[in-house]
Amino acid sequence: AGRGLLQDPHNLMEGYGVALYERPQTVLLNYSYELPFGRGRQFMNSTDNWGGKILNGFVGGWSVAGVSTYSPKGTPVLLPGVDGGNTAPGAAIRWSLADGTNAQRSTDYSKALIGGDGNFAQGSSAQGVLNPAAFTRTPDYTLSNSPFVFPNIRNPGFFTTDATLLKKFHFSEVDSRYLEARIEALNIFNHANFNDIDNDPDSSTFGGVKGKTGQRLMQIGLRLFF
């Protein structure tokens, strides 16, 4: 109610529905692997002489780790008028559905993509995931005939993999003392993910996908354990 989603305080069940952050399926993989070379590992673990120490400095102490997240379906699409695009300030909270309107799943997000210039990327003939003709303004001081969220019409899902390459440099006979070098990559495969759908019927790109996100980001860091 604090977000303006509830239009009838005398009918709380009118706001019953899936959570705004609900994602039906999500696969999360968290993994790490220490290469079996160098000090304390199975192979090439001798540091009794300078040759062994130099070899350990190159091949020892390496580890890889990562987190992969795959969510094929995004969050549900809010009805136009919720969180922006009100039909009339202070008069009606949401838009209404036109007579005979049916909800239909659509995942053709690439055709509905909005470019950096604020227009549909595939030209003026492109159409968004939502049909503008399906919505009509709710008369002032009346209630919308639609729920505030469409459970079967989803924002785009996403896939991303974050990976880390680590190298330990021991500077003491004590195993807990070492310098760790880290190379981290967010979305290492540079997989393009879509943003949410434009749900404002007053917008020229209503129903369009608001561009792409998720470009690869990399960083290097050092950590000293003593």
Side-chain angles (χ1 to χ4, degrees):
R3 294 183 62 184
L5 304 179
L6 189 64
Q7 66 175 351
D8 185 2
H10 302 290
N11 180 16
L12 298 183
M13 288 302 295
E14 186 271 337
Y16 180 84
V18 298
L20 306 183
Y21 51 83
E22 191 252 8
R23 294 179 183 272
Q25 300 95 22
T26 297
V27 177
L28 176 64
L29 301 177
N30 193 324
Y31 39 88
S32 62
Y33 178 68
E34 294 184 347
L35 274 66
F37 305 106
R39 176 176 173 170
R41 308 289 171 86
Q42 185 175 1
F43 305 107
M44 303 179 186
N45 52 21
S46 175
T47 57
D48 296 335
N49 51 56
W50 281 107
K53 292 180 180 180
I54 293 175
L55 181 63
N56 179 73
F58 283 100
V59 302
W62 289 97
S63 301
V64 292
V67 177
S68 294
T69 306
Y70 174 55
S71 185
K73 294 182 179 180
T75 55
V77 175
L78 295 174
L79 182 76
V82 179
D83 282 1
N86 288 350
T87 57
I93 292 179
R94 312 174 196 156
W95 288 67
S96 292
L97 294 174
D99 293 338
T101 297
N102 295 317
Q104 182 177 354
R105 287 187 180 92
S106 175
T107 57
D108 197 0
Y109 300 122
S110 59
K111 290 185 178 179
L113 184 64
I114 302 172
D117 58 357
N119 299 312
F120 281 108
Q122 293 194 5
S124 58
S125 60
Q127 184 176 351
V129 176
L130 300 176
N131 182 5
F135 299 90
T136 181
R137 288 186 179 275
T138 304
D140 288 351
Y141 307 105
T142 61
L143 302 179
S144 168
N145 64 359
S146 174
F148 71 88
V149 65
F150 296 116
N152 294 328
I153 303 177
R154 296 277 170 168
N155 289 306
F158 69 92
F159 170 77
T160 184
T161 295
D162 303 333
T164 303
L165 179 66
L166 306 96
K167 175 72 167 73
K168 295 180 180 179
F169 298 91
H170 286 88
F171 55 84
S172 169
E173 295 299 324
V174 180
D175 286 341
S176 60
R177 297 178 181 177
Y178 57 89
L179 178 68
E180 181 185 80
R182 305 168 62 93
I183 301 177
E184 299 175 329
L186 304 180
N187 193 12
I188 189 171
F189 299 119
N190 206 29
H191 180 80
N193 293 295
F194 294 112
N195 289 315
D196 288 346
I197 294 171
D198 182 356
N199 71 333
D200 182 2
D202 286 330
S203 171
S204 61
T205 54
F206 171 64
V209 177
K210 301 175 183 177
K212 296 181 180 180
T213 186
Q215 66 272 17
R216 183 193 301 115
L217 298 175
M218 302 186 69
Q219 61 185 16
I220 299 175
L222 294 174
R223 299 177 65 186
L224 179 64
F225 294 82
F226 59 91

